[in-house]
Amino acid sequence: MPYSPNKREVDAVKLRPPPKLSIVVPCFNEEESLPLLLEGITKLNDILVKAEQISEPLTLVLVDDGSSDNTWSLISNIKSSFNIQGVKLSRNSGHQSALLAGLMQAQGDIMISMDADLQDDPIAAVQMVERFRQGDEIVFGVRASRTTDSFFKRTSAHCYYRLLSVFGVELIPNHADYRLMSAKARDALAMFGESNVYLRGLIHRLGFKSSIVTYNRAARVAGESKYNMRRMVGLAIDGVTSFSVRPLRLITLFGFCVASISFFAIVYAWVGWMAGAVVPGWTSLILPIYFLGGAHLVALGVIGEYIGKIYTETKARPQFIIDTKIHTNAKLDDHAE
Ligand code: UDP
Ligand code: MG
């Protein structure tokens, strides 16, 4: 009888070979979180190596985004069962730029990005790697619930997604920057030459076969969130203006509406004047002046946002500057001991 493989064997044949994994973590003043992060990554590495899901111990790419505390000296002295790649940026460039720096420096077949504060459960990465082996190029980590977030964080996140969807920006709700990308997807991302990076939006636009893995987002293990109100508003405005010109179109529509209303008001006043009726004066004069004055300023502001974007994009400045790089290889260090 001819040999016919059973389902398990067929599935095994279809799986991609165990990949080489890099975990990319941007760190800004994370000296308190780093030891706990290392514990989490050690557990993850043990699980993946034991299950033969990765071809060799993972590499942890830690990007020091211009921290003013001991983050870099901790990174330089880590002893671990996996490889460490440290990238020190010359100054604080922001979460998104630091993450991009890490992704561009990372080697291997797949890279998984996460926060330094263990809010993204490292163990969910096991499922992400499985999905990659089943053929996905991008796997998005999505929070199952936000119960550990403060009321402010929950409300602002809700308003943020509403605002973006009003302006037609498609994002995966409750997906932050915990995701897996294959080297192919990362190389595609490298072709985008924008200096204003908004990775959540860009990566969603790459296309490729992707899927979602849900996880419970924990509270920050140590330190404070680096996103205050000002940074979050900035991120929301960046999100809208980087992907949509709808606000400009809304201004045009608004202008048309106001012009039409004014036209009818003119006809009304003219007819009233012909009929000898007195048109009520002061209120109808002063209110539109204030209203339109404010509306003009808003419109100018919105146009200004886009001009500002053009200004920064034409300068084409680098998104980050690397100061120092280090690489420690777990296997070589073991030999040396
Ligand atoms: N981060 C960074 N540069 C910054 C701000 C933040 O590299 O200018 C890092 C930070 O260390 C953390 C990640 O980006 O690993 C996400 O920041 P945070 O946890 O403060 O944001 P939240 O989770 O509160 O949105
Ligand atoms: Mg965080």
Side-chain angles (χ1 to χ4, degrees):
M1 199 178 137
Y3 168 74
S4 67
N6 63 33
K7 187 176 176 309
R8 243 181 104 193
E9 281 168 322
V10 171
D11 285 348
V13 170
K14 271 197 265 164
L15 282 185
R16 286 168 162 172
K20 201 175 150 199
L21 165 68
S22 285
I23 304 264
V24 179
V25 183
C27 307
F28 178 53
N29 294 341
E30 297 284 7
E31 60 179 7
E32 292 170 60
S33 314
L34 271 179
L36 298 157
L37 173 74
L38 289 177
E39 271 175 36
I41 300 295
T42 307
K43 265 189 221 152
L44 172 67
N45 184 55
D46 289 349
I47 296 174
L48 287 172
V49 169
K50 212 164 162 200
E52 294 181 9
Q53 288 281 23
I54 49 178
S55 59
E56 56 178 88
L58 61 82
T59 302
L60 179 61
V61 184
L62 293 165
V63 183
D64 176 14
D65 187 18
S67 302
S68 51
D69 65 359
N70 281 324
T71 301
W72 182 247
S73 79
L74 282 178
I75 294 176
S76 329
N77 292 305
I78 294 173
K79 292 267 169 292
S80 61
S81 54
F82 43 85
N83 311 311
I84 300 284
Q85 197 180 339
V87 180
K88 182 173 163 45
L89 300 187
S90 62
R91 56 182 279 268
N92 179 245
S93 313
H95 175 197
Q96 298 287 298
S97 299
L99 186 50
L100 188 72
L103 287 172
M104 294 306 152
Q105 291 297 312
Q107 290 146 12
D109 309 305
I110 51 175
M111 16 246 112
I112 296 179
S113 51
M114 64 172 78
D115 279 10
D117 53 22
L118 283 188
Q119 284 194 284
D120 311 320
D121 174 17
I123 305 307
V126 176
Q127 231 184 319
M128 292 186 177
V129 175
E130 275 167 17
R131 295 286 178 83
F132 166 78
R133 294 196 63 197
Q134 287 158 6
D136 290 339
E137 299 292 334
I138 303 173
V139 185
F140 297 98
V142 170
R143 283 169 232 176
S145 69
R146 278 188 168 267
T147 43
T148 52
D149 278 347
S150 64
F151 174 75
F152 167 69
K153 192 97 195 179
R154 275 207 306 272
T155 321
S156 58
H158 178 75
C159 297
Y160 175 69
Y161 289 114
R162 290 282 319 156
L163 177 83
L164 291 178
S165 77
V166 163
F167 289 112
V169 183
E170 272 179 52
L171 283 185
I172 296 181
N174 294 326
H175 161 66
D177 283 296
Y178 189 21
R179 75 179 85 79
L180 175 149
M181 292 179 87
S182 65
K184 182 160 89 177
R186 190 273 315 269
D187 293 346
L189 179 70
M191 293 192 304
F192 287 72
E194 309 174 27
S195 31
N196 242 307
V197 276
Y198 188 65
L199 290 172
R200 262 171 248 189
L202 281 183
I203 292 170
H204 186 54
R205 260 165 191 70
L206 289 178
F208 294 124
K209 191 165 179 287
S210 64
S211 65
I212 282 173
V213 162
T214 52
Y215 67 99
N216 285 319
R217 189 160 156 102
R220 219 173 202 286
V221 283
E224 287 179 353
S225 170
K226 297 343 178 250
Y227 277 93
N228 53 22
M229 187 66 181
R230 190 171 58 84
R231 276 195 165 190
M232 275 200 283
V233 170
L235 193 72
I237 294 178
D238 263 357
V240 174
T241 52
S242 296
F243 291 101
S244 168
V245 288
R246 211 176 266 185
L248 291 174
R249 214 158 286 159
L250 284 180
I251 294 176
T252 317
L253 276 178
F254 177 71
F256 270 119
C257 291
V258 174
S260 319
I261 295 168
S262 312
F263 175 76
F264 286 113
I266 290 167
V267 172
Y268 169 75
W270 185 69
V271 172
W273 178 71
M274 293 285 275
V278 182
V279 178
W282 192 86
T283 349
S284 59
L285 195 69
I286 215 75
L287 288 186
I289 289 178
Y290 281 152
F291 176 68
L292 288 179
H296 276 148
L297 287 181
V298 171
L300 273 180
V302 174
I303 296 168
E305 279 290 331
Y306 284 94
I307 295 179
K309 277 259 145 66
I310 299 170
Y311 171 69
T312 43
E313 291 299 334
T314 47
K315 282 190 292 187
R317 288 186 177 164
Q319 288 122 325
F320 52 84
I321 297 171
I322 295 175
D323 179 333
T324 317
K325 290 195 242 180
I326 53 162
H327 209 136
T328 55
N329 191 316
K331 279 186 226 151
L332 292 182
D333 285 354
D334 283 352
H335 273 286
E337 275 169 12

